[in-house]
Amino acid sequence: MRELLSIVIELSVGLFALLLLTKVMGRASMSESTPFDFISMIVVGDFVSDAIYDPHTHVYKVIFAILFWGILIYIIDLITLKFYQSRRFFESEPALIINKGQIDRKVMKKNRVDMNHLQMLLRDRNIFSLREIEFALLEPNGKVSVMRKSDYEQTNRNDLNIAQKSVSIPITLISDGVVLTNNLKRIGKTESWLESELKKHSVHEPKHVMIAEWRSEDGLYIQKIR
């Protein structure tokens, strides 16, 4: 019974200490935090777990560890505020992953981002086709910020008195040089059809294509590997 009571006390103290630390430091939610923020929360959480599972770790030691770690984070935040160059080390910086409509393969490799992941990030921003993008920045929190091409800027069709047009979801046919045969079947096309379409774009083999997507309204869109 005494051991259970000790766990309850340590959990309660640890919870309120973590909540207080988060409030004081003004941390964003985990989905919007930087890698440094994420590491900080893991380390602080580990302090609390030690208090629960290690009988030799007293609750006062946990409180001290959390407070000391909070002080370190606060000092680092002050450093990043006063010295701009330090932000690159502690917080990293945005990476221009799409420049003037062209995907930068080197930036993708450097940030460990593949084509599927990039497309997922763009869909999260309600962008389903790469042809719509002029610039895209990969932010330190893992999300992307996008500037659309002028032709694809969102407007209210009712304000312009424009008739509605049907839209469809783009289907990826080639990703990183690999033909996605299942997607070809979904649109009722064959690999020989794809090869002939690639030749129209002066592409002789799929391995030279970074991304190829099909949309019924616009046809085939291709970006080559550079």
Side-chain angles (χ1 to χ4, degrees):
M1 185 66 183
R2 186 177 179 181
E3 183 179 351
L4 292 177
L5 181 61
S6 176
I7 292 176
V8 170
I9 294 173
E10 290 168 352
L11 272 175
S12 301
V13 171
L15 173 62
F16 284 105
L18 287 174
L19 286 174
L20 180 62
L21 177 62
T22 304
K23 292 289 185 181
V24 171
M25 301 309 299
R27 294 287 139 194
S29 64
M30 291 308 300
S31 62
E32 299 176 350
S33 61
T34 65
F36 178 72
D37 298 331
F38 184 62
I39 292 171
S40 298
M41 290 300 101
I42 290 177
V43 173
V44 173
D46 190 55
F47 292 150
V48 178
S49 67
D50 285 343
I52 300 171
Y53 298 108
D54 188 351
H56 302 291
T57 301
H58 199 276
V59 67
Y60 295 116
K61 292 182 180 180
V62 176
I63 295 175
F64 172 78
I66 292 175
L67 291 177
F68 181 70
W69 185 255
I71 292 171
L72 286 179
I73 296 175
Y74 181 73
I75 292 172
I76 290 172
D77 283 344
L78 288 179
I79 292 172
T80 56
L81 284 173
K82 291 183 177 294
F83 303 100
Y84 180 81
Q85 296 299 327
S86 65
R87 299 177 190 177
R88 183 178 301 178
F89 177 77
F90 289 110
E91 300 177 357
S92 70
E93 58 184 3
L96 187 62
I97 201 165
I98 298 179
N99 186 13
K100 295 182 179 179
Q102 296 296 319
I103 300 170
D104 193 324
R105 192 178 179 87
K106 292 182 180 179
V107 174
M108 289 183 65
K109 287 185 176 180
K110 183 179 179 181
N111 290 275
R112 308 293 193 274
V113 176
D114 58 31
M115 187 57 63
N116 290 339
H117 188 200
L118 177 59
Q119 289 176 298
M120 179 195 71
L121 293 173
L122 293 173
R123 287 193 296 270
D124 190 52
R125 298 299 307 274
N126 292 323
I127 297 176
F128 289 83
S129 176
L130 289 162
R131 73 190 81 194
E132 301 177 13
I133 303 168
E134 185 71 14
F135 299 100
L137 287 167
L138 181 64
E139 302 291 355
N141 62 6
K143 295 186 177 182
V144 290
S145 300
V146 176
M147 179 180 290
R148 296 174 186 263
K149 294 179 180 178
S150 58
D151 293 341
Y152 293 96
E153 290 181 351
Q154 294 182 348
T155 56
N156 191 321
R157 302 182 67 89
N158 291 330
D159 291 340
L160 300 175
N161 197 25
I162 299 175
Q164 294 185 2
K165 296 192 301 183
S166 61
V167 294
S168 61
I169 296 176
I171 305 296
T172 302
L173 302 182
I174 300 176
S175 178
D176 289 321
V178 178
V179 177
L180 306 180
T181 54
N182 289 337
N183 286 351
L184 272 174
K185 293 178 181 178
R186 284 178 60 187
I187 63 173
K189 305 294 183 181
T190 62
E191 291 192 32
S192 59
W193 169 86
L194 180 60
E195 291 174 2
S196 64
E197 290 294 314
L198 292 177
K199 290 179 181 178
K200 294 178 182 179
H201 292 80
S202 301
V203 178
H204 300 287
E205 294 184 38
K207 67 180 181 180
H208 299 307
V209 177
M210 169 78 75
I211 182 74
E213 62 179 26
W214 168 264
R215 195 163 64 177
S216 57
E217 302 96 292
D218 307 306
L220 191 66
Y221 173 75
I222 292 174
Q223 276 199 24
K224 303 175 186 177
I225 295 176
R226 297 191 173 187

